[in-house]
Each structure stands twice: as C-alpha cells, then as structure tokens.
C-alpha cells in the first residue's frame, strides 16, 4: 500500500510540474533552426568573416542590395535592403553569411511602427544622428544594440540612432510585418516576428 501511495505521489508531482508551467514558463533555448535557419552553427566560418573585411574607410555611401530579407516564419515577399557604408553596418555584415538565416525579433510596437531585436557586436556611436521623421522600410541601430526595422511612416519620432539602411522598395512592408506578427501569436519561443536574412 505504501508503495502505491508513493508511486501516486511521484506521478502527481510530475503532472503538476509539467502542467503548471503554462505560457509564462521559459521554454528554454530555441533550437538551432529558430535562430540560424538552415545554418547549423551559431558562428560564421572564417571564410564568411573574411568576405567582409573591415575597410576602415566609411563614407556613408550606399551599398545597393547588400542584404535581402523575407518576412515571416515561412518566408514570403523578398525585400532588398540598401545599406550605408559605415562602421556599424560593417560590423553587422561581418556576422552575416550568404546563407539564409532565420532571424527572430522579440519586440513589436504597432503604434511606434517597428519590430526590433538586440544584436551582438560592439558598435561605435560615431554615425549616430537625430532623426525627426521616419519612413517605412528604414533601419536604425540604437546605442543599446537594438536594431529596428520601421514598417510604417512615423512623423515626429525624434529618435537618436545610427542609420543602417533602408528597403529599396518598401511597398508592402507594413502588411507583411503586421501579418507575420498576427500569424505568429502564441509562438513557443516568444518571437513576435521572424525574418529570413541573407547577405548578397
């Protein structure tokens, strides 16, 4: 009898442990495909890093179609991104490869018009500037390492950030981002919007 009671107690403890977690529990580290898409490694290879050496000469010119993004877990419409030739962009591109990466963003602000994620790397604030009005499709890097893609126009935003780049053709970006956010509600890993990113 004691053995049956002990077994029942163990089973109940396990049930409570698994059902009591709910949505507020930490699901743990996302699997590699959530963070890195088709890549199996969290680090770029040496050849990837050499493909984007630090030039040391930043003039703010535009690198056309430097990156391509697709919005949503399963991809969708492609958007080409023109990037500025500055130190922050050089560092960012150093972390990317020409393979498709699945990039999760954990911040979605409908009213402020952006989705964002903190990115790794050490960034200079030399190219930081004050921006009053923001246009849909623009990307900015903030001093805390947060990268924002604005998916709609924001008049009087009055932000201080480093311009990173902009979509070559932003038409449809608002519908793509808001649609991906809606479809992604209840994501296991707490991701608001997924992006696929590829360095060209």
């Amino acid at each position: 009898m004691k053995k049956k009671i002990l077994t029942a107690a163990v089973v109940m403890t396990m049930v409570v442990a698994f059902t009591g977690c709910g949505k507020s529990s930490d699901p743990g580290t996302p699997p590699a495909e959530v963070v890195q898409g088709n890549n199996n490694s969290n680090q770029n290879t040496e050849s990837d890093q050499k493909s984007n050496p630090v030039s040391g000469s930043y003039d703010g010119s535009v690198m056309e179609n430097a990156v391509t993004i697709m919005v949503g877990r399963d991809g969708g419409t492609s958007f080409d991104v023109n990037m500025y030739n500055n130190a922050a962009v050089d560092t960012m591109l150093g972390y990317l490869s020409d393979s498709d990466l699945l990039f999760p963003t954990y911040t979605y602000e409908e009213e402020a018009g952006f989705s964002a994620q903190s990115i790794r790397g050490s960034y200079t604030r030399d190219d930081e500037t004050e921006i009053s009005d923001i246009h849909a499709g623009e990307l900015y890097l903030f001093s805390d390492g947060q990268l924002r893609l604005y998916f709609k126009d924001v008049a009087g935003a009055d932000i201080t950030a480093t311009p990173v780049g902009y979509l070559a053709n932003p038409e449809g970006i608002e519908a793509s981002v808001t649609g991906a956010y809606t479809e992604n509600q209840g994501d296991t890993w707490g991701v608001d919007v997924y992006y696929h990113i590829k360095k060209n």
Side-chain angles (χ1 to χ4, degrees):
M1 185 68 175
K2 285 184 179 179
K3 188 174 182 181
K4 286 184 179 179
I5 292 173
L6 181 60
T7 302
V10 169
V11 170
M12 286 302 294
T13 302
M14 291 174 66
V15 169
V16 169
F18 284 110
T19 59
C21 292
K23 284 188 175 183
S24 63
S25 67
D26 180 2
T29 303
E33 64 269 17
V34 170
V35 180
Q36 291 291 337
N38 295 332
N39 288 359
N40 294 323
S41 172
N42 284 334
Q43 299 293 329
N44 289 339
T45 64
E46 188 175 331
S47 62
D48 288 334
Q49 292 172 350
K50 285 182 179 177
S51 67
N52 185 52
V54 175
S55 66
S57 175
Y58 310 110
D59 58 11
S61 61
V62 174
M63 297 178 282
E64 293 186 359
N65 304 327
V67 173
T68 298
I69 65 170
M70 286 189 298
V71 184
R73 181 67 172 89
D74 299 319
T77 305
S78 292
F79 296 92
D80 288 323
V81 183
N82 296 334
M83 308 289 280
Y84 295 114
N85 182 20
N86 62 36
V89 169
D90 194 69
T91 300
M92 289 171 58
L93 291 178
Y95 282 105
L96 295 179
S97 74
D98 55 7
S99 298
D100 180 26
L101 301 176
L102 190 59
F103 183 81
T105 60
Y106 293 90
T107 302
Y108 173 88
E109 297 289 346
E110 172 66 33
E111 189 174 336
F114 67 83
S115 64
Q117 171 64 329
S118 293
I119 57 175
R120 61 182 174 171
S122 179
Y123 296 93
T124 173
R125 298 177 67 177
D126 292 350
D127 297 300
E128 196 172 66
T129 186
E130 294 181 5
I131 298 100
S132 177
D133 299 328
I134 297 171
H135 302 95
E138 293 180 337
L139 291 118
Y140 293 97
L141 180 65
F142 288 74
S143 59
D144 60 356
Q146 186 184 67
L147 177 66
R148 293 183 185 179
L149 167 64
Y150 284 85
F151 54 84
K152 63 183 180 180
D153 294 344
V154 182
D158 297 326
I159 62 171
T160 301
T162 300
V164 171
Y166 57 93
L167 301 186
N169 183 4
E171 184 177 345
I173 189 62
E174 181 174 359
S176 293
V177 174
T178 55
Y181 172 75
T182 301
E183 291 172 7
N184 209 51
Q185 294 297 290
D187 178 79
T188 302
W189 310 107
V191 177
D192 283 335
V193 182
Y194 286 99
Y195 292 87
H196 291 262
I197 302 178
K198 181 179 179 182
K199 182 169 68 174
N200 297 326

